[in-house]
Amino acid sequence: DTAVSQTPKYLVTQMGNDKSIKCEQNLGHDTMYWYKQDSKKFLKIMFSYNNKELIINETVPNRFSPKSPDKAHLNLHINSLELGDSAVYFCASSQGDLSYEQYFGPGTRLTVT
Amino acid sequence: GQNIDQPTEMTATEGAIVQINCTYQTSGFNGLFWYQQHAGEAPTFLSYNVLDGLEEKGRFSSFLSRSKGYSYLLLKELQMKDSASYLCAVYGAGSYQLTFGKGTKLSVIP
């Protein structure tokens, strides 16, 4: 069984559109994350969320918003997509805070044209 | 601010030992991670060091010196499947302060 899953795996869209990426974990973890990995393979944390608190990396544009319908899901919604948003987006989860091992989903490759 | 340095690329021979270094300058320090990432795949956890010293886990070992802002990942008995990027990440001060280095791409050759 897949521990952390994401859909879609590939997403191609035009500038200005709004899109969502879904993430689910079946590990019973308390905390979920979204990361962006750019073309230079630089992995950057965007959000950290548990059932009590959303922590946002202040450098992330407010066009990006995480939405969590329940503890096992953390979706990423992106408004008004820009060319620079093209990257691979990884969802991850951990049992606790950032001191815990993280389990990553397979990634979603977003291409904005 | 956060600054993490790793060599961009390394090449080593199958069966050999390779050491991948990571130096960091961060505002606060809570621990250091090593992750492995094969091309086109997700990162997978290798190790987490909080205290100074060497931690061994099978063929992989990780070392930390907090006073020097330095860590290394040691891979023994290299196998072809070890060809991957190795990411150093520091958990610093602040709730979202998990900063990744740019990764070291290791190529294992026969």
Side-chain angles (χ1 to χ4, degrees), chain B:
Chain B
Q2 316 279 69
N3 187 41
I4 299 175
D5 286 318
Q6 305 178 234
T8 303
E9 295 186 36
M10 298 182 72
T11 300
T13 305
E14 191 176 14
I17 299 173
V18 70
Q19 178 175 311
I20 302 174
N21 296 324
C22 171
T23 58
Y24 62 89
Q25 296 169 318
T26 59
S27 52
F29 180 84
N30 290 310
L32 186 144
F33 290 91
W34 283 97
Y35 280 85
Q36 179 190 60
Q37 186 176 24
H38 285 99
E41 298 183 9
T44 55
F45 171 83
L46 291 176
S47 66
Y48 181 53
N49 292 68
V50 178
L51 302 176
D52 290 351
L54 184 68
E55 293 201 7
E56 298 185 71
K57 190 185 294 185
R59 294 189 299 115
F60 292 8
S61 302
S62 56
F63 172 83
L64 175 67
S65 171
R66 289 172 296 171
S67 62
K68 296 182 179 178
Y70 168 68
S71 173
Y72 68 73
L73 181 69
L74 193 69
L75 290 75
K76 303 176 184 176
E77 301 170 14
L78 279 172
Q79 302 176 9
M80 299 300 290
K81 67 178 181 180
D82 297 330
S83 294
S85 287
Y86 291 85
L87 311 177
C88 171
V90 174
Y91 177 24
S95 299
Y96 62 83
Q97 287 293 0
L98 181 64
T99 305
F100 281 79
K102 294 187 177 181
T104 299
K105 184 178 179 181
L106 174 66
S107 299
V108 180
I109 58 175

Side-chain angles (χ1 to χ4, degrees), chain A residues 9 35 37 40-45 48 55-58 90 97-102 104-106, chain B residues 30 33 35 37 40-45 48 85 87 91 94-103:
Chain A
K9 189 168 177 61
Y35 287 86
Q37 189 169 42
K40 296 182 179 179
K41 307 303 181 186
F42 199 18
L43 193 63
K44 178 181 173 183
I45 191 168
S48 165
I55 299 172
I56 301 171
N57 186 329
E58 63 190 15
F90 287 101
D97 63 18
L98 287 171
S99 66
Y100 286 80
E101 168 186 355
Q102 294 190 29
F104 285 78
Chain B
N30 290 310
F33 290 91
Y35 280 85
Q37 186 176 24
E41 298 183 9
T44 55
F45 171 83
Y48 181 53
S85 287
L87 311 177
Y91 177 24
S95 299
Y96 62 83
Q97 287 293 0
L98 181 64
T99 305
F100 281 79
K102 294 187 177 181

